[in-house]
Amino acid sequence: MKLLCVDSEPVYREIISLCAEKENVTVTSVSSYEDAVQAFIDYAPDMVTLDVVVKGGSGFDLVKTLKALSGNRFIPMIFLSSQATDTVMDKCFKSGADDFIPKPFNEVLFNIRLKTHMRHVELMKEMYRKNKALTYYQTMIEREHEMAHHVLDHIQTRSENNSEHVVITRLSAASFNGDLALVKTRSDGARLIFVGDFTGHGLPASIGALPVMHAFFDAVDDLLDVNELAGQMNRILFSILPDYMFCAGYLILMTPNGDILYWGGGMPNALIRRACGAIDYLRSNHMPLGILPAYEFEGDLQSNKLNVDDTLVIVSDGVLELKNCHDEMLGDDQVEKLISSSYSEKSLILAQKMTEKKLTEYRGESVQLDDITLVALRNERLQQ
């Protein structure tokens, strides 16, 4: 710890130096305004003691100058002066001083005040160190997030773009989306769809996304059966995810004529809005991916059909659990009504936008607590 003593009287410079050195404080003493400024720059003290009267200038002005030179550093400025009137002390503190001790001072009192300011300096230094470390780690995290965003976004560009046949909406609750929505048409004309919802949201919920996406697009290229792909994804996630994480999901294969073959685990029921307005369901009867070992995994499939003017809508539980400003969840019944009304629209893109708008209006000013994913599909024959 270093102290700069500014005093025109040699006796006080000597007393202050002796007192401070007993507390293991290194002291540099000067007697004038100009020397004080130069010593402050060269010596970089942790504390400063000074008098109201300084050779070559005013102690009040000196404090202002030294405070300006200290920048972001916290350096206590302690006045030691025989001018102890209320007016003088008021001017001292208004100039930026941190303490005032009247002369002649008691050595015990001075040591107590000195140790108090030493503790303040140490606390501030520790705070600066921790802030610097936090800034460093924040910068590293931002870089890692940027890299992960780049990798995941690049891979997801292989998924089909929104059209009047397929529309995907993903609304993140954090910087990373824990949901996956992948759609790709195979060389045989069948369309493969995967909608997955990893435990939680944010970056931890995205750690399984990369291998799952690779497996999905490899399966598109290889025309892999749906049940085999489901088993493969389960093995991947079972091997890499911690015990408390899993991925609920639908894996769907839809042929050009609308026949649907699917595997579902841990997801809300997907809804089919029939052309007549009735609602049908794809049911998610299995355990989520990544929970069961390969020998216990159930890969049996279910079937359905998407007829002309029917719309298949797959939602993550972030839609069902969306809360409004009254802390009320949207719930299954309201979601069903929302899909029934919105997807009566002939344009699938417009229907999806209407749904997004209604979800936003329902949430209002409340916080979105989970990722939201909506995937809507219609048979291509509608456009032929």
Side-chain angles (χ1 to χ4, degrees):
M1 193 77 70
K2 297 185 292 183
L3 171 69
L4 172 62
C5 173
V6 185
D7 204 301
S8 57
E9 299 182 50
V11 63
Y12 276 111
R13 294 202 299 272
E14 182 69 20
I15 293 172
I16 290 168
S17 295
L18 289 172
C19 290
E21 287 168 359
K22 288 180 182 178
E23 302 298 333
N24 296 317
V25 177
T26 305
V27 182
T28 291
S29 298
V30 296
S31 61
S32 69
Y33 187 105
E34 185 177 341
D35 291 342
V37 173
Q38 191 59 50
F40 188 87
I41 295 171
D42 297 338
Y43 184 56
D46 299 298
M47 298 179 291
V48 176
T49 62
L50 71 164
D51 200 343
V52 171
V53 179
V54 180
K55 289 180 182 178
S58 161
F60 307 126
D61 293 335
L62 180 58
V63 167
K64 293 176 182 178
T65 300
L66 299 186
K67 285 286 186 179
L69 289 172
S70 63
N72 292 326
R73 291 181 63 208
F74 171 67
I75 303 175
M77 305 283 173
I78 308 165
F79 269 107
L80 299 169
S81 178
S82 58
Q83 300 182 34
T85 65
D86 291 345
T87 302
V88 170
M89 285 192 286
D90 184 59
K91 289 183 69 175
C92 288
F93 287 109
K94 283 183 177 179
S95 67
D98 299 283
D99 203 351
F100 184 98
I101 301 175
K103 288 181 180 178
F105 59 82
N106 180 284
E107 183 180 335
V108 174
L109 174 63
F110 177 80
N111 287 342
I112 291 172
R113 304 281 269 275
L114 182 67
K115 285 188 280 190
T116 298
H117 288 294
M118 288 170 65
R119 286 196 296 270
H120 289 167
V121 170
E122 287 296 340
L123 287 171
M124 293 302 294
K125 284 183 175 180
E126 180 65 18
M127 186 186 73
Y128 289 145
R129 283 193 291 268
K130 289 182 177 179
N131 282 345
K132 187 175 181 180
L134 286 172
T135 300
Y136 169 78
Y137 288 120
Q138 179 66 27
T139 302
M140 293 299 296
I141 289 171
E142 288 174 356
R143 289 178 181 174
E144 290 172 358
H145 279 203
E146 183 180 352
M147 180 184 70
H149 267 302
H150 176 77
V151 172
L152 293 173
D153 290 345
H154 176 72
I155 293 176
Q156 289 199 115
T157 56
R158 291 189 61 187
S159 184
E160 292 182 15
N161 295 325
N162 287 350
S163 67
E164 290 298 341
H165 315 312
V166 178
V167 184
I168 298 172
T169 296
R170 298 170 70 242
L171 305 174
S172 303
S175 59
F176 273 78
N177 196 320
D179 294 350
L180 270 181
L182 306 171
V183 179
K184 194 71 174 178
T185 300
R186 307 192 313 186
S187 59
D188 62 356
R191 179 171 278 133
L192 187 64
I193 303 106
F194 177 71
V195 179
D197 182 0
F198 283 87
T199 310
H201 60 269
L203 183 58
S206 300
I207 61 175
L210 194 60
V212 166
M213 286 191 285
H214 276 299
F216 176 87
F217 289 114
D218 286 345
V220 170
D221 296 336
D222 299 337
L223 302 179
L224 193 67
D225 290 340
V226 174
N227 58 341
E228 291 183 34
L229 176 56
Q232 183 179 340
M233 287 182 172
N234 182 72
R235 285 193 299 273
I236 292 170
L237 295 177
F238 184 80
S239 66
I240 66 171
L241 292 181
D243 294 340
Y244 56 85
M245 288 190 69
F246 55 83
C247 179
Y250 276 110
L251 191 57
I252 301 168
L253 185 69
M254 188 171 73
T255 64
N257 65 2
D259 291 328
I260 293 174
L261 199 60
Y262 71 97
W263 181 95
M267 287 285 283
N269 290 332
L271 293 91
I272 298 177
R273 187 197 182 280
R274 298 297 183 187
C276 63
I279 297 293
D280 198 358
Y281 305 94
L282 300 190
R283 302 190 183 276
S284 180
N285 296 328
H286 296 297
M287 294 285 285
L289 299 167
I291 292 181
L292 300 175
Y295 65 88
E296 294 183 15
F297 181 74
E298 298 176 344
D300 55 294
L301 306 179
Q302 296 172 273
S303 61
N304 210 306
K305 187 176 181 65
L306 201 66
N307 300 310
V308 175
D309 288 336
D310 291 346
T311 306
L312 170 62
V313 183
I314 307 163
V315 301
S316 64
D317 59 8
V319 177
L320 301 176
E321 296 171 4
L322 184 67
K323 290 185 176 182
N324 61 17
C325 58
H326 302 295
D327 204 35
E328 299 168 335
M329 284 190 183
L330 187 60
D332 296 272
D333 291 342
Q334 291 193 74
V335 168
E336 188 171 315
K337 291 177 183 177
L338 174 62
I339 289 172
S340 180
S341 62
S342 294
Y343 293 93
S344 61
E345 172 65 42
K346 290 185 178 180
S347 167
L348 187 60
I349 293 176
L350 182 56
Q352 191 87 340
K353 289 181 178 178
M354 290 170 58
T355 304
E356 293 172 15
K357 181 180 178 182
K358 290 178 181 178
L359 290 175
T360 301
E361 290 173 349
Y362 182 83
R363 181 170 66 86
E365 298 299 322
S366 63
V367 177
Q368 181 182 331
L369 299 177
D370 198 4
D371 300 321
I372 287 177
T373 296
L374 281 162
V375 178
L377 300 106
R378 281 183 180 162
N379 194 300
E380 290 188 1
R381 288 188 299 162
L382 292 173
Q383 309 299 321
Q384 293 177 352

